[in-house]
């Protein structure tokens, strides 16, 4: 049943935010970004340990550049730089809200943040800082969804939250099909076999191999992030079985 508690509360969370959450008609729609920051602040005040992976599709998308003659690796590197811009915007707004956030980049960019270092990362999380991971994996051909799954496993996150602007995973596009039905629960195999447009198959397979639960939910609904962090199913849960264990 929608909104029912489906699991135990989570303490350490990896949140993936798409570039489109920062803006669509304009690269930066500040109302949307401020709403994201408010949601993160609310969970942070509840003493949740939060890592965030940001996408860059509001600025540039490597796969789109391919259509215009830009080589895939070059387009992907351009997309990585776009994620850094989004990370800086989010960090600054969180700072304005009194939330201490640190940017960690996959490759060194002097003056922006810190190059990712596992031990430093864990110290920051343990001390209550929010971590913002930019540049994806640092390598072309891998999406920021895959980067988020990798980071979730590496930092020991109990769950991978993927933020969207819809309420979960549907049997068809809910934007163009008012009769679309939302799934409360799916297995990893359900997603892979039925090719639901949740995230790329590499990320799903990685979560399956590492038994990392995924929650797809609507971050634009006020309070959803905190509700999800305390164990409510506010979207679609993806894991190996419907058991709460």
């Amino acid at each position: 049943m929608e909104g029912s508690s489906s699991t135990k509360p989570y303490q350490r969370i990896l949140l993936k935010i798409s570039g489109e959450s920062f803006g669509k008609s304009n690269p930066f729609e500040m109302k949307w970004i401020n709403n994201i920051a408010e949601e993160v602040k609310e969970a942070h005040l509840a003493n949740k340990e939060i890592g965030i992976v940001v996408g860059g599709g509001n600025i540039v998308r490597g796969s789109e550049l391919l259509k215009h003659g830009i080589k895939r690796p070059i387009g992907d590197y351009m997309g990585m730089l776009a994620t850094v811009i989004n990370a800086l915007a989010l960090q600054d707004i969180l700072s304005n809200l009194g939330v201490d956030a640190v940017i960690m980049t996959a490759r060194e960019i002097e003056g922006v943040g810190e190059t990712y270092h596992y031990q430093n990362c864990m110290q920051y999380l343990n001390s209550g800082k929010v971590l913002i991971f930019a540049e994806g994996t640092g390598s072309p051909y891998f999406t920021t969804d895959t980067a988020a799954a990798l980071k979730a496993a590496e930092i020991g996150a109990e769950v991978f939250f993927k933020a969207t602007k819809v309420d979960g995973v549907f049997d068809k596009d809910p934007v163009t099909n008012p009769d679309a039905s939302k799934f409360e629960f799916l297995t990893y195999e359900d997603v892979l076999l039925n090719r639901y447009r949740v995230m790329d198959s590499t990320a799903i397979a990685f979560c399956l191999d590492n038994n990392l639960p995924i929650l797809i939910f609507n971050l634009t609904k006020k309070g959803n992030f905190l509700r999800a962090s305390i164990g409510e199913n506010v979207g679609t849960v993806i894991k190996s079985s419907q058991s709460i264990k």
Side-chain angles (χ1 to χ4, degrees), residues 175-216:
V175 176
T176 57
N177 297 278
D179 62 335
S181 297
K182 183 170 80 74
F183 298 104
E184 302 301 319
F185 168 82
L186 291 167
T187 66
Y188 307 109
E189 292 86 355
D190 289 334
V191 177
L192 291 169
L193 290 172
N194 293 290
R195 297 183 178 273
Y196 293 123
R197 297 181 64 184
V198 175
M199 59 182 73
D200 70 89
S201 59
T202 302
I204 293 290
F206 182 87
C207 291
L208 185 160
D209 289 343
N210 290 274
N211 198 28
L212 177 66
I214 305 165
L215 176 68
I216 312 294

Side-chain angles (χ1 to χ4, degrees), residues 5 7 29-30 38 53 56 61-62 64 103 109 117 121 144-145 149 165 185 199 225 235:
S5 180
T7 185
E29 298 185 37
M30 298 311 298
E38 290 283 357
V53 170
R61 187 177 293 278
E64 289 297 316
I103 295 173
I109 304 181
H117 184 285
C121 169
T144 49
D145 283 343
K165 291 184 179 179
F185 168 82
M199 59 182 73
F225 186 23

Side-chain angles (χ1 to χ4, degrees), residues 14-85:
L14 191 290
L15 174 66
K16 163 65 196 305
I17 306 174
S18 69
E20 287 77 5
S21 296
F22 287 78
K24 194 168 185 180
S25 57
N26 298 305
F28 296 102
E29 298 185 37
M30 298 311 298
K31 181 180 178 180
W32 292 2
I33 305 173
N34 277 290
N35 287 345
I36 291 169
E38 290 283 357
E39 290 292 299
V40 171
K41 177 184 177 181
E42 188 176 21
H44 181 257
L45 289 174
N47 297 315
K48 302 299 180 181
E49 299 168 0
I50 304 166
I52 302 171
V53 170
V54 292
N58 56 315
I59 300 170
V60 63
R61 187 177 293 278
S63 58
E64 289 297 316
L65 293 174
L66 187 64
K67 300 174 184 177
H68 302 285
I70 300 292
K71 294 180 180 65
R72 175 66 186 270
I74 301 301
D76 284 352
Y77 284 123
M78 292 168 68
M80 290 178 211
L81 293 175
T83 70
V84 176
I85 295 171

Side-chain angles (χ1 to χ4, degrees), residues 127-162:
S127 67
K129 298 183 191 299
V130 171
L131 287 181
I132 305 173
F133 299 108
E135 292 190 298
T137 65
S139 298
Y141 294 96
F142 292 98
T143 68
T144 49
D145 283 343
T146 296
L150 290 166
K151 279 290 172 282
E154 191 165 1
I155 68 173
E158 299 158 68
V159 65
F160 174 3
F161 283 178
K162 180 168 180 180

